[in-house]
Amino acid sequence: MPELTWQKSSYCAQGNSCVNVAASPEAIHITETGDPTAAILTSTPAAFSALLHVLKKDPRHV
């Protein structure tokens, strides 16, 4: 995996519970700042786009 450039969510307050996202040519990678395992969820761009669409459509999911 190439080195990723992570971006912290603009909705993140100060602290360790922040979502971080990085894009590579084939995938979107998501992780949480406070996760001690440093687990990374990898998604296709289409699946990530669908997730964002649902979250923007219904803010109760955020």
Side-chain angles (χ1 to χ4, degrees), residues 21 27-28 30 43-57:
V21 178
I28 306 296
I30 307 163
S43 171
T44 65
F48 187 69
S49 178
L51 172 65
L52 293 179
H53 176 76
V54 168
L55 293 174
K56 288 178 182 179
K57 184 176 178 181

Side-chain angles (χ1 to χ4, degrees), residues 6-50:
W6 293 96
Q7 295 178 313
K8 184 164 64 168
S9 169
S10 61
Y11 288 94
C12 180
Q14 298 296 328
N16 288 334
S17 295
C18 300
V19 173
N20 300 288
V21 178
S24 66
E26 316 78 33
I28 306 296
H29 310 279
I30 307 163
T31 190
E32 180 184 1
T33 304
D35 180 4
T37 68
I40 298 173
L41 173 67
T42 301
S43 171
T44 65
F48 187 69
S49 178

